Amino acid sequence: MENGSIEFHGNLRQLLSKVESGEMIPKLQASHAPMCKFFTAYYVISGIRHVVPLVHGPTGCPLYMSDFVRTRECCEIRGIPLEPTACTTLDESNVIYGGEGKLLEAVKEAYAKYHPDLIVILSCCCSGIIGDDVESIAREAEKLVGCRVLALRSEGFGGDFRSGYEDAFKLIMDLMDPPKTTMKGTINILGARWGPSPTEFNWDLDEIERLLREIGIKVNAVIAGGCTVEQIRHAREVELNASWCYDWGQKLGDLMQERFGIPYSRTGQPYGPSATKEWLLGVAAPLGMQENAEEVIEREMREVEPDLAYLNEALSGKTAIIEISEFPGPIRALSLARMAEEFGAHPVVINVHPYTIKERMPSIKYILETGVNPEIILTKGLFRLGSFRSSKETEDELEAIVREYDNPIFFGNSGRFPPCPVVNLTFMNPAFQPHYGFRGIKNLAALVRQGLENKDLPRSRLFKGMLYGTGTR
Amino acid sequence: MGPERGKEPAGPSRESCTDPYLRCAFHGAALTALGVSGSALLAHSPQGCEYLVNNAFAAQECDYMETMTVCTKLCVDEIVHGGEEILARTIREVKGLPISALFVVSACGPEIVGDDIVAVCESLQPEVKFRLVPIASPGFKGSQYDGIDIALDTIVKRLVAEGGKKVPGSVCLVAPHANANPTWPADLAWVKQTLSRMGIPVVATLTHRTPLSEIEHAASAETTLVLSHDAGQKAADSLAAAFGMEQVCKGIPLPIGMTNTQRWLAALGERFDARKPADEMVSEGERMVTATCRRKWPMSRFLYRTPAAIVADATVGIPLVRFVTEEMEMTPELVALYSSARPVRELLERELGSLGLTPKVVYGTDVYRTRQSLREVMPRVVFGSTIERHASEGIPVTYVVEVVRMMRQFRMINREYFGYTGILNLFECVQNEWTMAWRSKEKRYRAKW
């Protein structure tokens, strides 16, 4: 490809190798700040019902999360009752003299005020640096209140955003009681969070649960997507763990397998017919429910036959340009690349940032093991100073790249203006959700149809000017 | 009127466990720095604090095509060994930006480990074409209001030039951004429009879309006008001490509602010898509001002496007390303010005394105390935020009028609460809530078609 704006052009395996060797690590300190460890830990913990996340720090850290995760995403959007987000409001004096005494009092107060089923102390930068021993306080406090008290070292500087998720999932294992029985035909779904991360929405989970119900499989808990402490306590009584997103469930699934011997179904995201079948059989077969699953799959496949035929016809022979910088998450984009290939398209994934490869290494390796190794292009704009979202540079580069492929179709969102049909996969439009499973096939077919049938309609000068400046055409 | 209720102890809660309404000092400093146009902000912090900056960015209505925010993304290494080197490296990375100032705002981590951001900025100043302005405002320094005061103090001390010629009868506006109206720039716009009509020049605004050159000349103003009851007073005091700038409208509730607006305009008219235009604005404004209400029929008139709660910042909350009592004819039985500073307490108590009200008062409230107070007082109307909508579940509150920190309702056009159109905007909030409260929660049958 003759294009001076290309920083990397190869396949996923080659990109992974460059990231592993340190060759593709972003050099600009100032650019691209994903969430910190504290935020991601909060996401997970807030997915347990009747929990008090007790933030041992000043008010800025908890309030950002309580405004956006709790009030907006949980209460306003998902209809969840207002749950507390407690804070010790560390001040200068606490920073100098330590905040352990205040924390102990705060746990007692939190219990008296909110009557929770669980209190999780989350440390942040302040309490981490001054060395407050949150674990010891949690142990001490647990003797004084009527619920479990756990502590998580989640200082913002203490790890990448992924470590917050993983450490929180790991902590949740401490709540799991030794099994007293085995719940036949029952699984846990791992790796969920209530938070507003654009990688997960209820519709996908609803589709998975619908299909599991059809097969006759029960779900003990969605950890941590609105599960109760009681469900977590019984989590070891299931026959199998599965994940709605391999990436997020993988750590907890592996740990539960290693520590408790509970098998974990390793499957990718159920995008398209093959991945959906694999997902369902990956869960049903170990439970001895393969036949039921096959019946359900056959019935569901019949339902989506017209959509499958359309997708085959529409995508065959096309180049599916899949952009990640504007798409909700690299793992979903790679799942989509697999689906595009299944329908006869050649997938080209654009601008999967090396930091996301670095932080999702086990999942990327798993995806490669399953035979998914799409063509990847990273452009120079991705590495420019500032946020890469909606940047003029990456928009111009995308438009140039698309011109170099035959018969292109763009999978991303409507914030891009490439000279080809655009399939709008944004999660900001609930009209075409879920994307997972068989209902997802219907929705994806509808989105592809919209993109192709309306490709000659004029695009919005207004929105393009808003995103990239009025100098753009 | 409700029975006399004990006031909670003055000052912020002594509790160890709170569910706060206010963000930290780092956020307040970022909010202030981002009000300077032609500048950029460098958060010397771990990457999560950048999200607080993003939030401040939105609150100051910055445009990402014009204003860049960057972050040093501190990790364990910098906490152990210090982050000054990475700060210097990051400043060098952005030295090509076409800006007049780079605000370096430090968060908890680097302040605890002792990074000297002032020294780093001084040593790098010769290398860059723009002003480096260090602001040490870690979260543990206090609330967002403390952060606003810290940043304004830095701006006054570092950027305001001495010795400028005074502009006769002029003002410097202070802390318009310390206001929980989610579209507060409309309040600022109303103030500027009003001052313009009275012939009072605005020399500088600290801060909203304020060029550095305007800040440098701020001392040319004869007076200061603080547009918040929550922050900005310290800056006004500093400007008075350093440059002899007299504060106007001090101790008067901000202009929300007819009486407050009339009083505020009269004070300005008095000070700037502009009584005539002030009187004209009052009579025109009152006529316009009355005529509009006659045509549109605000439903709040049906809420005569309905027990009400006000849960807000002091900037909106204190003036609302009179507006809710006089113009809307409801009875405030709970006033819960995010702030607890002495001037806030004094101002509210003066207002309550003058109105003959004895509501339950909570200073420095948090979500828990608000819910407990709502349970105790059982108001039927709450003027507050989205949080109160959810915090009042299970309590027989009929209306939650979201006037501050709204999340459910969205405004594409900024709406002021100050002044006469502000009165109509507040009536509109009540009107929309009034309709929603009447809507049946259940569909009793399905239509046939």
Side-chain angles (χ1 to χ4, degrees):
Chain A
M1 178 175 288
E2 294 296 318
N3 192 326
S5 63
I6 305 295
E7 186 72 30
F8 169 86
H9 192 177
N11 60 35
L12 181 62
R13 192 179 299 281
Q14 289 165 337
L15 176 61
L16 176 70
S17 149
K18 279 181 182 285
V19 172
E20 276 190 304
S21 68
E23 204 182 321
M24 284 299 291
I25 294 303
K27 300 289 190 294
L28 277 176
Q29 185 64 25
S31 289
H32 313 312
M35 286 180 289
C36 68
K37 184 178 181 181
F38 164 75
F39 284 4
T40 50
Y42 179 99
Y43 275 120
V44 174
I45 297 304
S46 69
I48 302 171
R49 287 187 194 183
H50 310 303
V51 64
V52 174
L54 174 53
V55 182
H56 190 34
T59 60
C61 310
L63 201 67
Y64 180 85
M65 298 308 282
S66 61
D67 267 2
F68 287 88
V69 180
R70 174 185 69 175
T71 314
R72 192 179 68 183
E73 302 298 331
C74 292
C75 296
E76 287 288 293
I77 296 179
R78 300 181 188 198
I80 294 164
L82 185 75
E83 294 275 18
T85 292
C87 174
T88 52
T89 317
L90 288 185
D91 59 19
E92 205 158 11
S93 157
N94 303 133
V95 168
I96 294 165
Y97 298 108
E100 291 180 357
K102 193 175 193 183
L103 177 60
L104 185 63
E105 285 306 309
V107 175
K108 288 192 279 182
E109 272 179 30
Y111 185 73
K113 285 176 170 176
Y114 305 115
H115 325 297
D117 294 341
L118 171 69
I119 296 171
V120 178
I121 299 167
L122 296 164
S123 62
C124 49
C125 294
C126 269
S127 46
I129 297 171
I130 65 176
D132 278 0
D133 185 353
V134 290
E135 288 98 340
S136 295
I137 297 294
R139 278 193 297 273
E140 186 66 24
E142 196 169 78
K143 296 174 198 158
L144 306 172
V145 298
C147 70
R148 293 294 310 272
V149 182
L150 302 177
L152 181 58
R153 290 202 169 271
S154 52
E155 298 87 17
F157 61 81
D160 60 27
F161 79 97
R162 191 180 180 85
S163 65
Y165 290 129
E166 292 188 348
D167 288 1
F169 282 131
K170 203 170 161 186
L171 184 83
I172 286 174
M173 289 175 70
D174 291 350
L175 295 168
M176 297 176 184
D177 288 343
K180 291 185 184 130
T181 180
T182 301
M183 293 190 261
K184 288 284 174 199
T186 304
I187 66 168
N188 296 311
I189 295 178
L190 308 179
R193 300 145 288 158
W194 269 133
S197 160
T199 58
E200 63 182 66
F201 282 81
N202 286 357
W203 303 288
D204 284 333
L205 183 59
D206 290 347
E207 172 66 352
I208 283 179
E209 290 190 292
R210 178 185 77 85
L211 292 168
L212 291 172
R213 258 195 320 273
E214 295 279 315
I215 297 169
I217 296 168
K218 292 189 279 293
V219 176
N220 167 61
V222 178
I223 301 172
C227 58
T228 63
V229 172
E230 189 65 12
Q231 286 170 337
I232 296 173
R233 286 182 55 212
H234 290 285
R236 290 171 61 183
E237 294 174 358
V238 301
E239 287 195 288
L240 181 79
N241 282 321
S243 174
W244 67 348
C245 168
Y246 175 81
D247 192 37
W248 294 119
Q250 164 258 327
K251 185 75 174 181
L252 182 56
D254 285 351
L255 282 170
M256 286 181 73
Q257 183 158 8
E258 197 179 297
R259 203 190 293 180
F260 306 138
I262 302 170
Y264 174 56
S265 170
R266 281 179 180 69
T267 49
Q269 292 171 317
Y271 260 89
S274 297
T276 301
K277 278 186 223 170
E278 272 176 30
W279 198 95
L280 290 173
L281 290 172
V283 173
L287 299 175
M289 301 170 92
Q290 183 156 352
E291 264 183 43
N292 296 12
E294 281 168 351
E295 271 174 37
V296 170
I297 290 167
E298 201 183 319
R299 192 170 67 230
E300 294 282 335
M301 285 291 276
R302 272 200 303 276
E303 286 274 309
V304 295
E305 258 170 24
D307 304 287
L308 293 172
Y310 175 74
L311 284 167
N312 269 313
E313 186 198 328
L315 298 180
S316 181
K318 287 204 165 48
T319 303
I321 310 275
I322 300 165
E323 193 196 31
I324 292 190
S325 65
E326 290 292 330
F327 186 80
I331 302 296
R332 279 193 187 255
L334 294 170
S335 301
L336 193 76
R338 180 190 170 183
M339 190 195 85
E341 201 158 21
E342 188 179 359
F343 289 118
H346 170 66
V348 179
V349 177
I350 296 197
N351 284 346
V352 50
H353 202 286
Y355 85 76
T356 74
I357 297 286
K358 181 169 164 269
E359 292 179 357
R360 292 175 174 86
M361 202 79 87
S363 304
I364 300 289
K365 286 181 176 170
Y366 167 77
I367 285 167
L368 284 166
E369 275 171 31
T370 63
V372 177
N373 185 24
E375 186 178 336
I376 305 269
I377 295 174
L378 308 188
T379 65
K380 289 191 170 146
L382 189 67
F383 301 93
R384 291 278 294 267
L385 187 63
S387 166
F388 61 86
R389 282 178 190 277
S390 303
S391 84
K392 175 78 169 68
E393 289 83 3
T394 50
E395 168 64 15
D396 290 345
E397 289 159 352
L398 170 71
E399 290 181 23
I401 287 166
V402 164
R403 283 193 191 93
E404 297 201 24
Y405 282 94
D406 291 331
N407 217 357
I409 179 167
F410 176 70
F411 288 84
N413 76 31
S414 54
R416 293 302 200 187
F417 296 79
C420 70
V422 171
V423 182
N424 180 24
L425 294 169
T426 179
F427 278 87
M428 296 297 117
N429 178 6
F432 293 96
Q433 303 290 346
H435 288 181
Y436 277 8
F438 295 103
R439 288 184 178 168
I441 291 168
K442 278 182 178 291
N443 285 319
L444 290 166
L447 290 166
V448 169
R449 191 184 293 276
Q450 284 168 19
L452 287 170
E453 290 183 357
N454 299 314
K455 68 181 166 49
D456 295 324
L457 291 179
R459 296 291 313 269
S460 169
R461 278 189 301 121
L462 170 64
F463 291 155
K464 191 169 184 182
M466 176 191 90
L467 288 166
Y468 306 113
T470 46
T472 56
R473 280 194 308 126
Chain B
M1 186 166 304
E4 171 86 38
R5 293 188 178 91
K7 290 185 182 67
E8 296 207 350
S13 161
R14 300 270 173 227
E15 292 166 334
S16 300
C17 167
T18 59
D19 190 345
Y21 281 101
L22 295 176
R23 294 200 169 93
C24 64
F26 177 80
H27 171 84
L31 184 63
T32 307
L34 285 165
V36 180
S37 58
S39 72
L41 189 147
L42 196 170
H44 185 41
S45 67
Q47 61 200 25
C49 302
E50 171 79 352
Y51 283 70
L52 293 173
V53 173
N54 290 345
N55 198 269
F57 188 91
Q60 270 285 6
E61 297 193 335
C62 294
D63 183 336
Y64 69 88
M65 299 258 175
E66 294 163 5
T67 306
M68 183 175 277
T69 63
V70 291
C71 178
T72 49
K73 294 191 290 188
L74 301 178
C75 294
V76 173
D77 275 1
E78 290 78 45
I79 297 300
V80 175
H81 303 293
E84 292 178 5
E85 198 181 310
I86 212 161
L87 174 59
R89 186 178 130 201
T90 312
I91 292 172
R92 288 191 178 106
E93 273 179 15
V94 300
K95 70 180 185 184
L97 289 178
I99 51 175
S100 54
L102 176 69
F103 290 92
V104 177
V105 185
S106 56
C108 297
E111 286 297 317
I112 298 174
V113 303
D115 282 1
D116 189 346
I117 62 166
V118 175
V120 173
C121 287
E122 278 172 3
S123 72
L124 264 78
Q125 187 62 73
E127 290 184 36
V128 297
K129 289 179 183 156
F130 43 77
R131 291 281 292 271
L132 287 170
V133 186
I135 304 175
S137 185
F140 61 77
K141 281 279 188 185
S143 76
Q144 63 194 62
Y145 298 136
D146 296 307
I148 290 172
D149 284 337
I150 289 168
L152 286 175
D153 184 60
T154 305
I155 284 171
V156 168
K157 286 183 178 150
R158 286 184 174 269
L159 301 178
V160 176
E162 286 183 48
K165 196 178 168 195
K166 291 283 181 193
V167 177
S170 61
V171 296
C172 170
L173 303 177
V174 179
H177 53 301
N179 178 335
N181 172 359
T183 52
W184 59 267
D187 286 326
L188 174 61
W190 179 84
V191 169
K192 285 186 170 177
Q193 194 183 25
T194 301
L195 293 172
S196 163
R197 188 161 166 194
M198 295 171 95
I200 303 167
V202 176
V203 170
T205 303
L206 304 177
T207 60
H208 178 62
R209 296 183 187 161
T210 311
L212 190 60
S213 55
E214 196 175 303
I215 293 174
E216 285 166 349
H217 293 112
S220 308
E222 267 188 1
T223 63
T224 57
L225 180 55
V226 179
L227 298 181
S228 170
H229 295 313
D230 296 284
Q233 186 56 49
K234 286 180 183 166
D237 293 343
S238 297
L239 289 165
F243 307 110
M245 293 160 70
E246 171 202 348
Q247 187 180 347
V248 292
C249 293
K250 190 175 180 181
I252 299 177
L254 284 157
I256 295 176
M258 294 222 289
T259 304
N260 287 329
T261 303
Q262 183 271 327
R263 190 160 51 173
W264 194 81
L265 287 172
L268 283 177
E270 187 74 28
R271 167 60 183 78
F272 293 102
D273 198 16
R275 287 181 205 87
K276 191 163 175 274
D279 290 345
E280 280 170 6
M281 274 188 275
V282 170
S283 54
E284 276 173 28
E286 293 192 355
R287 205 164 42 238
M288 183 276 287
V289 168
T290 312
T292 306
C293 287
R294 195 180 303 123
R295 293 182 190 113
K296 309 274 185 184
W297 292 108
M299 292 305 174
S300 51
R301 72 202 165 95
F302 294 120
L303 302 177
Y304 177 77
R305 296 302 165 229
T306 303
I310 295 165
V311 184
D313 65 338
T315 301
V316 175
I318 292 178
L320 263 186
V321 171
R322 185 172 290 275
F323 178 63
V324 164
T325 310
E326 269 190 30
E327 272 91 45
M328 296 214 202
E329 295 194 321
M330 294 178 220
T331 309
E333 296 207 348
L334 167 66
V335 181
L337 300 179
Y338 306 156
S339 303
S340 60
R342 182 182 296 277
V344 165
R345 297 198 303 268
E346 289 170 355
L347 184 60
L348 177 63
E349 275 151 33
R350 271 204 307 277
E351 277 295 277
L352 294 175
S354 124
L355 287 161
L357 290 170
T358 53
K360 179 180 171 65
V361 176
V362 184
Y363 295 112
T365 191
D366 77 338
V367 178
Y368 178 80
R369 292 166 83 197
T370 295
R371 180 166 162 81
Q372 294 305 104
S373 303
L374 291 172
R375 267 196 180 138
E376 182 190 326
V377 173
M378 297 279 198
R380 293 296 187 270
V381 182
V382 177
F383 291 86
S385 69
T386 310
I387 291 174
E388 285 73 56
R389 180 176 299 286
H390 297 284
S392 60
E393 257 187 37
I395 302 169
V397 171
T398 314
Y399 304 103
V400 177
V401 183
E402 293 184 27
V403 291
V404 292
R405 299 158 51 97
M406 293 122 58
M407 291 182 196
R408 192 166 64 107
Q409 295 177 358
F410 184 80
R411 291 176 184 167
M412 189 62 89
I413 304 292
N414 288 343
R415 291 173 184 228
E416 70 267 37
Y417 295 157
F418 288 3
Y420 296 101
T421 306
I423 293 171
L424 298 176
N425 286 331
L426 285 162
F427 275 142
E428 196 175 281
C429 294
V430 178
Q431 192 94 345
N432 291 327
E433 182 59 29
W434 182 86
T435 311
M436 292 302 290
W438 276 87
R439 181 177 291 175
S440 171
K441 304 289 182 294
E442 294 170 17
K443 287 193 176 67
R444 290 177 177 80
Y445 67 94
R446 281 173 178 271
K448 279 191 175 174
W449 59 288

